[in-house]
Amino acid sequence: MHEKAKDSGGRKLSYKEELELQALPEQIETLEATLGEVQTELSDPDFYKRPQDEIADAQRRLQELEQRLNEHYARWEELAQRES
């Protein structure tokens, strides 16, 4: 999906891309809030008294959220540049 948009150069946004651009700020806000919750959980010293698999799951979730957030920011920047 994103590769096609990158290959298209300076063409205008499609209707679907315009909707995606409009939705991205809210999606980013939600990801940031969730990321903050996971970071707060991981910063609690008692968290590390939990079973190892729970700790690993939370760390993996943190990495996944950070990756998704970075992808959303990159997509937002790409669409915003093409919009202008």
Side-chain angles (χ1 to χ4, degrees), residues 67-84:
Q67 177 65 33
R68 288 181 57 206
L69 187 59
N70 288 335
E71 290 170 358
H72 277 64
Y73 272 123
R75 182 65 173 157
W76 188 18
E77 182 179 347
E78 174 188 342
L79 292 175
Q81 285 178 353
R82 286 188 27 223
E83 180 185 46
S84 50

Side-chain angles (χ1 to χ4, degrees), residues 18-45:
E18 287 179 22
L19 293 178
E20 181 183 2
L21 180 60
Q22 291 173 7
L24 279 168
E26 185 176 334
Q27 293 170 358
I28 288 171
E29 187 176 313
T30 301
L31 283 170
E32 287 177 336
T34 306
L35 184 64
E37 292 169 7
V38 175
Q39 289 171 329
T40 299
E41 182 180 18
L42 288 171
S43 69
D44 181 0

